[in-house]
Amino acid sequence: MASVDGSANADAPPGHPFRGLSIAFLADGFTSDLSISPGETVYDIEPRIRERSQGTICPRDNQLGAAYVDVAPDPRAGRATIMLSYTWGYKIHDITSALVQYCNNSRLPIEDVRTWICCLCVNQHRVKAAQAAGSTISFEDFRETFGERVQGIGRIVAMLSPWREAFYLKRVWCLFEAWTATNTPGCELEFVLPDHEAKDYRQSLRSSDLDEVWKALGGISVKDAQASIQEDRERILELVRKSGSDKKSGSSDKGYKQLNHELTKRLQMWFVQTAANHFQAYLDPANAVHPGKSSLAVALAGFFIGLGRFEDAEKLCIDGTGLCERGIQELDWRCDDDDAKSDTSAATNNVVPLTAEEQRSQYLVHRAQIEIHRGRISHERGLLNEALEWFQRSLDTFAAGGNARCEEAVGAIRRMGVVLREQGHFNAAMAKLDEAWDVLVQIGNTKTSRAARVLRSRGILLSFKGEFNEALNHFDAAMKIYEEMDLMSNPEVVLLHIQTGVAHYQRGQGDKALEHYHRAWNICDLTSTKDSPEAANILQKMGSAYRSKGQLDRALEKYEAAWAIHQAAGTTTGLDAAILLRHFGLVCIEQGDYSMATLRLQMAWTIYETSGTTMSLPAADVCMYRSDVAFKMGNYEDVHKELDMAMQIYKHHDLSEGPDAAGVLLRLGRATTLAGDFEVGRQRLERALQIFEATDSMLTFDAARAMQLLGIVARHRGLMSEAMEWFEKGLGVYKARKAENSPAAAEILRNMGSCYRRTGQLDKALHVLEVAWQIYQKSGVVNSPEAASIMRHRGVVEMQQGKLSDAKATLQKAYSIYEACGTENGNEAASNLQYLGDVLFLSGELEEAKKALELSWANCKFSKLERSPDAAEVLWRLGRLQVILGQYGLGMEQLQQARALFETAGMGATSENAAVIRWIGIAHYQMQAFDAAMACYDESARKLEALGMTYSMLSAELIANIGSVYTSTNRLGEAKEMFEKAVEIHHKIGTHNSFQAAAAQRHLGEIQIVEGSLESGVATFQDTWERLEKCGSTATVEACKVLYNWSRALRTLDMIDAAWEKFHLAWKTLMAGRMMTSSFAVELRSTMINEIGSRFRVLEEDGVEVTCQTVAMVLAKLGLHEFTAQHVEEVVLLTQSHGKDAVSTYQAFLDWVFATD
């Protein structure tokens, strides 16, 4: 049959590749033209399509047999405006119904819309001939032709039927068409349902609470799509796969995932928009109101909330409330009309009509459900009191309609329980959740998705109370309900996986937690809800898991992505946002950025204040982490204030025996330990560990921290073996959770290094410190206070190894990090200053050492820790400095104060106290109270032996001190034995190049001199001096003592010039270090006066006149070049003017030269 000319025909006459048939023709003339019966599919009518055109010459190839579109009696045929994507298994009636539905939805006349549809627009005669000949069109040729058609038409309409499990989404050719549309610039992809499917969809929205929608969206899987020809399937899947290949990750499924996501997202929006458009028509006052229409508002609002579109949901709630009110008003107006007391519209639709009372009841139920949605929106925005008001209003509305115990009311009751839990009212929350469950039991609905929600909410509350096993039982029961209902793609399963993961995480089962987080994320990916609040929650949980493994960059990446979702959804003031901010703060703490941590945590606290939830458990978490920041910055008053607030919250919830309260206890234990009350600190930490054990939480990070702190307490008390056992246990938790490379695990390694160092195992100490440092490097936190503390310990080891210049640089760099992080007032920085003072002391920089120690003391005062062990550490070092400077009274006073503080803190048996007692002995020795000195040395030695530290640097120093007493009391044999033993220990522990080893060796040289082995003594002093040069200690009193004894040996050997050179260098060193008041300086001064005086006497005996010239000659020979001729002349003239003799002149001159003021 010839085509009818017209404008559309002129655009695409018969034979045109884009020629299509009008929807008006397909809806009417087409079925009669081919005598199509109801129920027939495309497969059924395909022979008739060919039969209808077999006698016509095809305008495309001029051969007999044309495409149906070229012969169809459609006067409106022409250039297609849409291309239908469908399957041949669809019924013809459904296809035409869907096309009419599309026109109606788009508000387009069916006469003006023309569709290209393959069964009618492709020449089926040629297809059959090719099949008969066994030839096929190459896939690439087909792809090119199809691509041109898609681009030329510009709009694909995909037909879904049935909508719950569309055949379309299971056919690979259909998905290929969709893929082509999504990858063709300017092409639009839309969806359409046949009329009966559209009605079924709307009915499902009213009755299934979105479960069926999520199930449909979760069923899209490109990889599982089928085709009649396997080769076609393989080619199409390969094409899709390659389109998204991820070279960076090596993923081969990215293309599938991209198309799955794109289709799901478009379907999701289409489902919503279709229902929304349908609903908008209900708002027209001219249209009759019906409870079915208000139920659609309930479903759509829930849908929008699930997608995080709260403004759209709120508008729907307002419109839906209006519909309910209109419906109730119309019932009131008709209440006197007996003929209008039933639902006539329902009767028209072959539904059992509702009575007026039934309609009223349904309107009230729908209004109550809308009020629940309003409460949900307020809840998401963090307006908890407002949310409670909406939920209560909902319950009142249910009751007004006689539905107080209906299943829908359970939603309001449950959500009230959730809000009450978040506000910290645990008992009230559990009462509400129990009430919700009781209602479900009464009505026999304990196997529904609503029942699963109640189980989930109860499980969350049980988790908060530390009852993890019972919580997991609730989550498992809820999961089984979803599995039985085949709803595993439902967004609520996402929440269930999240909470299950949290429970596992709190029990220390990190891998199981991550497994559930990833399952939750996969559902979001499957249902294209990765922009929802639930998705933000998953990202936050994933970030926390990465943070626990030390992967801070990945953690921040997840947190930032979650925050972006909250910003887009307008929920940055909600409680979930507060939790996210808290975790942001945690990462900042681990990175050492305490100002940013303070800001993040304050933002979180502000949310809790605004929402009236400062007594909630998440608020207690913020208090605890703010106490951590205060602790790092040395604000210990704030530490106790924050922890007191946190404990009040836990007691308010009757959770003082829960794992979170144990977290407070361990922090209080840390603070108490720092203040020096080790017994109370230990008790608190042990109590915290008992709670962790009772609540099955021994694999949590807080439990590991408690173990670490107990190790520190043991170390402070000198119990090194016990300390190492605790550290090993704590490290075992991190290993069990595969977090041994986290910064927190590195902190335990740092403490282990401290134990190794204190027991003289320097190689082991350096090894674990290096491992810890590498962890911080990988985590990107080398500028944090924790990393600085590793540097501090490394600096102490370098000091013990005699590498004083390296130690000084390391400790100074560590302190600069403390300053940059704003923690220079903290105890870690104070400890760093103490060790820096040690290095400066050993380097002879006594004034600088004093400054460092005074600054450390200022830290103790700032933190109000003047009575703490840290204060004792500073005091004994200051006392040591005074002893070296000859201020024995002041030095002894400070040392005794330090000893008293250590013993008050329960540290009487520690190596720290042993060091103090040793220095008290040194002070006694300097005052020649040898018996008192020996008593102190013996007491110190007993403490070290009890600690198992007989082979430590401190032990070697002490043995050398005992040797000095023996030397001074003429017990040279015993003294030599002590010094040799001290040197042996230094060699054994790797400190043979240290300042302390040099001191022991110097004593050996002195004994050699006394024994008459002058050459051996000189060689020993030479070797000792070289050791002091290596460790940078040539400006110390010890170095002066080496020079002094060396010079005495040289003088005895009559090496006068060399001897005087050593004498003079020793004196210049003492003067430079302002150490002239020490007993050794007095001795050296006396020796030098005698030496110079003897030279002057030689002049007198030789009859040489004492003049400025002769005096200057003697001084020059002695190397004293710093005295000018004017100085010499003034003294000589002064003494001569008083008529003194030559000897008096010499003595006056020498007194002036060696004046100490």
Side-chain angles (χ1 to χ4, degrees):
M1 179 183 292
S3 299
V4 178
D5 290 331
S7 59
N9 247 326
D11 289 339
H16 194 282
F18 300 154
R19 182 176 175 82
L21 298 171
S22 70
I23 307 305
F25 170 73
L26 292 173
D28 187 16
F30 174 59
T31 55
S32 60
D33 188 46
L34 293 184
S35 303
I36 298 173
S37 303
E40 286 192 302
T41 67
V42 175
Y43 287 118
D44 295 329
I45 70 164
E46 188 274 337
R48 274 173 273 169
I49 293 174
R50 285 183 287 113
E51 180 182 345
R52 177 69 176 77
S53 58
Q54 64 184 359
T56 304
I57 297 297
C58 177
R60 304 163 197 269
D61 59 13
N62 292 317
Q63 296 183 29
L64 194 63
Y68 180 80
V69 70
D70 295 327
V71 300
D74 181 7
R76 296 180 180 83
R79 188 182 182 95
T81 56
I82 64 172
M83 174 180 173
L84 184 67
S85 186
Y86 70 114
T87 80
W88 278 30
Y90 285 163
K91 296 175 182 179
I92 301 299
H93 174 76
D94 287 346
I95 294 174
T96 57
S97 169
L99 289 170
V100 171
Q101 185 76 24
Y102 168 78
C103 294
N104 293 338
N105 292 342
S106 304
R107 293 185 173 83
L108 296 172
I110 60 176
E111 295 82 5
D112 295 343
V113 178
R114 290 171 296 280
T115 182
W116 191 95
I117 177 170
C118 68
C119 66
L120 303 180
C121 299
V122 171
N123 192 327
Q124 299 301 323
H125 298 282
R126 304 298 176 264
V127 173
K128 281 293 182 181
Q131 291 175 350
S135 62
T136 58
I137 301 173
S138 72
F139 177 78
E140 290 303 322
D141 287 344
F142 174 82
R143 178 188 172 191
E144 182 179 354
T145 302
F146 183 75
E148 291 173 354
R149 186 174 295 119
V150 169
Q151 192 165 23
I153 296 174
R155 185 182 303 272
I156 288 184
V157 175
M159 177 182 163
L160 304 179
S161 182
W163 72 268
R164 283 182 172 83
E165 197 171 358
F167 295 147
Y168 177 88
L169 299 175
K170 299 182 182 298
R171 304 301 296 172
V172 75
W173 276 109
C174 297
L175 293 179
F176 170 71
E177 292 171 2
W179 176 85
T180 304
T182 59
N183 284 275
T184 300
C187 182
E188 296 185 23
L189 175 63
E190 298 182 63
F191 300 92
V192 69
L193 297 176
D195 184 58
H196 66 93
E197 287 293 327
K199 290 178 181 178
D200 183 64
Y201 166 59
R202 291 192 293 271
Q203 181 59 38
S204 177
L205 282 179
R206 300 186 189 105
S207 61
S208 66
D209 200 15
L210 299 179
D211 290 342
E212 292 294 328
V213 176
W214 293 118
K215 183 177 177 181
L217 290 175
I220 299 174
S221 175
V222 174
K223 288 174 67 175
D224 296 330
Q226 299 299 313
S228 301
I229 302 174
Q230 184 63 22
E231 186 179 356
D232 290 348
R233 179 180 181 275
E234 292 172 358
R235 287 180 174 181
I236 291 171
L237 291 182
E238 179 68 8
L239 184 68
V240 173
R241 185 187 67 80
K242 286 183 177 179
S243 69
S245 60
D246 190 345
K247 294 180 181 179
K248 183 177 179 180
S249 66
S251 172
S252 62
D253 287 347
K254 192 174 180 182
Y256 300 141
K257 292 181 179 179
Q258 285 178 344
L259 183 53
N260 286 343
H261 175 75
E262 185 66 30
L263 284 176
T264 303
K265 196 71 179 176
R266 293 191 184 217
L267 275 171
Q268 183 187 90
M269 299 315 300
W270 177 82
F271 273 129
V272 173
Q273 200 56 53
T274 297
N277 291 342
H278 190 71
F279 176 72
Q280 287 301 314
Y282 294 163
L283 299 179
D284 188 343
N287 291 333
V289 184
H290 181 267
K293 298 180 179 180
S294 55
S295 70
L296 185 58
V298 174
L300 278 173
F303 210 151
F304 278 122
I305 292 173
L307 296 175
R309 293 169 55 176
F310 301 120
E311 290 184 4
D312 292 332
E314 196 167 33
K315 184 179 183 305
L316 273 166
C317 286
I318 294 170
D319 291 339
T321 301
L323 271 182
C324 292
E325 291 174 353
R326 273 181 57 198
I328 293 173
Q329 286 176 356
E330 288 185 12
L331 288 173
D332 290 340
W333 293 335
R334 291 158 41 200
C335 65
D336 295 327
D337 184 354
D338 291 338
D339 294 333
K341 286 186 179 179
S342 63
D343 181 10
T344 56
S345 64
T348 303
N349 288 297
N350 299 319
V351 178
V352 177
L354 299 174
T355 66
E357 284 306 312
E358 288 172 334
Q359 291 182 62
R360 182 188 301 276
S361 177
Q362 284 204 8
Y363 282 132
L364 288 173
V365 167
H366 296 158
R367 191 174 78 180
Q369 289 177 300
I370 289 170
E371 287 163 348
I372 292 175
H373 288 328
R374 297 294 296 272
R376 291 176 63 190
I377 295 168
S378 297
H379 188 191
E380 291 288 351
R381 290 171 174 168
L383 307 174
L384 299 197
N385 288 330
E386 184 177 290
L388 280 176
E389 290 175 4
W390 278 114
F391 295 145
Q392 185 57 56
R393 188 182 302 182
S394 170
L395 290 175
D396 294 340
T397 303
F398 279 123
N403 299 299
R405 308 294 284 179
C406 69
E407 184 177 4
E408 291 80 0
V410 169
I413 300 170
R414 180 186 70 84
R415 291 184 183 280
M416 288 186 79
V418 171
V419 174
L420 288 168
R421 185 204 76 218
E422 291 177 356
Q423 289 182 322
H425 308 303
F426 278 16
N427 291 335
M430 187 57 84
K432 282 294 179 185
L433 295 175
D434 288 344
E435 180 185 349
W437 186 254
D438 289 342
V439 173
L440 291 172
V441 171
Q442 288 175 14
I443 62 179
N445 282 355
T446 57
K447 296 295 182 180
T448 63
S449 56
R450 187 168 276 112
R453 291 179 210 128
V454 175
L455 288 169
R456 174 170 56 83
S457 297
R458 290 175 73 177
I460 294 171
L461 185 51
L462 290 166
S463 286
F464 271 96
K465 297 177 72 173
E467 300 176 30
F468 301 122
N469 288 334
E470 191 61 29
L472 287 170
N473 289 338
H474 276 68
F475 296 147
D476 288 342
M479 194 71 76
K480 287 178 181 177
I481 290 175
Y482 287 118
E483 288 175 355
E484 290 171 1
M485 296 179 68
D486 194 19
L487 295 176
M488 294 303 289
S489 298
N490 193 304
E492 291 180 359
V493 179
V494 170
L495 299 176
L496 191 54
H497 277 303
I498 292 173
Q499 294 305 328
T500 305
V502 170
H504 283 301
Y505 181 87
Q506 289 172 322
R507 294 181 69 190
Q509 298 168 320
D511 288 340
K512 285 188 177 180
L514 274 174
E515 180 184 331
H516 283 279
Y517 297 154
H518 283 296
R519 287 181 184 176
W521 186 254
N522 289 339
I523 294 174
C524 286
D525 192 11
L526 196 63
T527 56
S528 293
T529 54
K530 292 194 292 186
D531 298 326
S532 66
E534 287 75 19
N537 197 5
I538 299 170
L539 290 168
Q540 177 256 303
K541 296 295 188 299
M542 285 183 170
S544 298
Y546 287 127
R547 179 180 57 77
S548 70
K549 291 177 175 291
Q551 301 176 33
L552 300 188
D553 289 341
R554 293 191 72 180
L556 277 177
E557 178 186 331
K558 298 298 181 184
Y559 292 156
E560 286 166 358
W563 186 252
I565 292 174
H566 282 298
Q567 286 179 316
T571 56
T572 54
T573 58
L575 295 182
D576 282 343
I579 293 173
L580 178 59
L581 286 166
R582 185 188 83 212
H583 286 281
F584 260 124
L586 274 175
V587 172
C588 293
I589 290 173
E590 294 193 8
Q591 290 180 322
D593 191 348
Y594 295 111
S595 59
M596 182 56 69
T598 300
L599 174 63
R600 297 286 193 184
L601 293 171
Q602 183 55 46
M603 288 171 67
W605 186 254
T606 300
I607 291 174
Y608 292 124
E609 285 184 320
T610 303
S611 60
T613 57
T614 54
M615 290 302 289
S616 66
L617 291 180
D621 290 337
V622 172
C623 291
M624 282 203 290
Y625 297 132
R626 292 212 301 189
S627 80
D628 289 340
V629 175
F631 183 87
K632 293 292 184 181
M633 299 183 74
N635 301 324
Y636 299 112
E637 284 188 355
D638 288 346
V639 170
H640 285 282
K641 183 179 73 174
E642 295 291 346
L643 292 176
D644 287 345
M645 179 65 186
M647 189 55 83
Q648 285 178 29
I649 294 172
Y650 292 126
K651 287 181 178 178
H652 173 75
H653 299 300
D654 195 24
L655 287 175
S656 56
E657 297 296 311
D660 289 323
V664 176
L665 281 174
L666 74 87
R667 288 169 170 83
L668 284 170
R670 176 181 63 182
T672 307
T673 299
L674 180 66
D677 196 341
F678 292 106
E679 184 57 29
V680 174
R682 181 184 62 80
Q683 290 174 3
R684 286 175 169 170
L685 293 168
E686 287 180 346
R687 180 64 192 133
L689 211 56
Q690 288 171 1
I691 293 173
F692 288 130
E693 188 169 12
T695 56
D696 197 20
S697 306
M698 289 295 283
L699 286 179
T700 62
F701 293 131
D702 269 351
R705 291 181 70 188
M707 295 170 191
Q708 176 186 337
L709 289 168
L710 280 166
I712 292 173
V713 170
R715 188 188 69 201
H716 278 306
R717 298 171 70 196
L719 307 174
M720 296 298 167
S721 296
E722 181 181 329
M724 288 298 289
E725 287 178 9
W726 281 118
F727 295 147
E728 290 287 0
K729 287 180 180 179
L731 196 59
V733 173
Y734 290 102
K735 289 179 179 178
R737 298 187 59 175
K738 298 184 178 179
E740 62 269 31
N741 293 319
S742 66
E747 192 172 342
I748 293 185
L749 290 172
R750 184 194 76 197
N751 282 288
M752 293 175 76
S754 177
C755 279
Y756 285 133
R757 174 180 62 77
R758 290 164 190 264
T759 54
Q761 302 177 72
L762 300 189
D763 289 340
K764 286 186 176 181
L766 281 176
H767 172 70
V768 294
L769 290 173
E770 181 58 29
V771 172
W773 182 254
Q774 289 175 3
I775 290 173
Y776 279 110
Q777 281 185 316
K778 290 178 181 178
S779 300
V781 289
V782 291
N783 291 318
S784 68
E786 288 75 16
S789 295
I790 290 180
M791 295 181 68
R792 182 184 85 230
H793 284 286
R794 193 160 61 188
V796 176
V797 174
E798 289 170 343
M799 175 183 70
Q800 291 181 330
Q801 290 178 321
K803 302 174 183 177
L804 295 187
S805 59
D806 290 344
K808 180 180 177 182
T810 300
L811 291 167
Q812 286 176 334
K813 184 176 180 181
Y815 189 72
S816 68
I817 293 176
Y818 290 124
E819 287 184 309
C821 294
T823 61
E824 67 274 15
N825 293 321
N827 68 305
E828 296 285 348
S831 180
N832 193 85
L833 287 167
Q834 293 162 21
Y835 289 119
L836 182 58
D838 288 344
V839 172
L840 294 168
F841 171 82
L842 296 175
S843 301
E845 301 176 61
L846 301 189
E847 284 299 315
E848 292 302 313
K850 186 178 180 182
K851 289 179 183 177
L853 293 172
E854 287 174 344
L855 185 55
S856 182
W857 180 252
N859 279 12
C860 291
K861 294 180 70 175
F862 172 82
S863 304
K864 294 182 172 53
L865 295 173
E866 299 98 320
R867 307 297 301 170
S868 70
D870 276 351
E873 292 277 5
V874 181
L875 279 171
W876 83 259
R877 286 174 167 84
L878 285 169
R880 176 185 64 181
L881 191 60
Q882 297 300 335
V883 169
I884 290 297
L885 294 173
Q887 304 294 325
Y888 303 122
L890 178 58
M892 185 71 80
E893 179 184 346
Q894 291 175 325
L895 287 166
Q896 292 289 7
Q897 288 176 359
R899 180 177 183 177
L901 288 177
F902 279 135
E903 289 179 350
T904 300
M907 293 179 64
T910 63
S911 60
E912 286 84 352
N913 199 36
V916 174
I917 295 170
R918 168 179 168 261
W919 270 97
I920 293 173
I922 291 172
H924 283 304
Y925 174 82
Q926 293 295 338
M927 294 185 291
Q928 298 189 353
F930 300 128
D931 289 342
M934 200 65 184
C936 289
Y937 295 154
D938 285 342
E939 182 181 358
S940 183
R942 288 194 299 272
K943 292 183 184 298
L944 293 178
E945 185 176 3
L947 293 169
M949 293 178 64
T950 52
Y951 280 91
S952 64
M953 176 174 276
L954 181 55
S955 179
E957 289 179 287
L958 184 59
I959 290 171
N961 293 137
I962 294 172
S964 296
V965 174
Y966 288 153
T967 300
S968 299
T969 54
N970 294 317
R971 298 160 65 178
L972 297 186
E974 293 171 277
K976 185 176 182 180
E977 183 181 335
M978 290 294 105
F979 295 135
E980 287 175 342
K981 184 176 181 181
V983 170
E984 177 190 348
I985 291 174
H986 281 298
H987 275 277
K988 186 167 185 176
I989 66 176
T991 58
H992 49 283
N993 287 321
S994 67
F995 169 92
Q996 292 85 347
Q1001 189 159 290
R1002 187 256 303 171
H1003 284 297
L1004 276 176
E1006 290 176 357
I1007 292 177
Q1008 288 169 337
I1009 297 297
V1010 173
E1011 291 176 337
S1013 303
L1014 297 178
E1015 289 83 359
S1016 297
V1018 168
T1020 299
F1021 293 135
Q1022 174 71 40
D1023 183 58
T1024 302
W1025 181 255
E1026 289 173 357
R1027 291 175 187 273
L1028 290 172
E1029 283 183 318
K1030 285 182 180 178
C1031 66
S1033 299
T1034 55
T1036 61
V1037 172
E1038 180 58 41
C1040 292
K1041 290 180 178 180
V1042 173
L1043 290 168
Y1044 172 59
N1045 286 284
W1046 193 359
S1047 66
R1048 289 174 61 193
L1050 290 169
R1051 189 176 186 280
T1052 304
L1053 292 170
D1054 206 29
M1055 301 171 68
I1056 305 300
D1057 291 344
W1060 178 253
E1061 178 188 346
K1062 308 304 181 212
F1063 269 132
H1064 187 219
L1065 180 57
W1067 180 252
K1068 288 177 68 175
T1069 301
L1070 287 174
M1071 290 186 66
R1074 298 184 181 181
M1075 297 178 284
M1076 293 84 73
T1077 60
S1078 67
S1079 59
F1080 170 70
V1082 172
E1083 181 183 350
L1084 180 61
R1085 176 176 179 272
S1086 176
T1087 302
M1088 291 189 71
I1089 287 175
N1090 290 335
E1091 183 69 21
I1092 296 173
S1094 68
R1095 299 301 178 92
F1096 284 167
R1097 289 186 183 90
V1098 171
L1099 291 177
E1100 186 178 12
E1101 290 171 0
D1102 292 344
V1104 178
E1105 184 181 357
V1106 179
T1107 64
C1108 293
Q1109 183 178 4
T1110 57
V1111 170
M1113 180 183 67
V1114 172
L1115 293 174
K1117 189 173 182 180
L1118 295 173
L1120 299 174
H1121 302 291
E1122 60 265 36
F1123 301 103
T1124 65
Q1126 184 179 354
H1127 290 151
V1128 175
E1129 185 178 1
E1130 287 177 359
V1131 174
V1132 172
L1133 291 175
L1134 178 65
T1135 55
Q1136 288 179 343
S1137 67
H1138 287 78
K1140 295 182 179 180
D1141 57 18
V1143 174
S1144 299
T1145 298
Y1146 303 151
Q1147 190 62 49
F1149 178 76
L1150 292 170
D1151 287 342
W1152 177 77
V1153 169
F1154 292 104
T1156 57
D1157 55 355

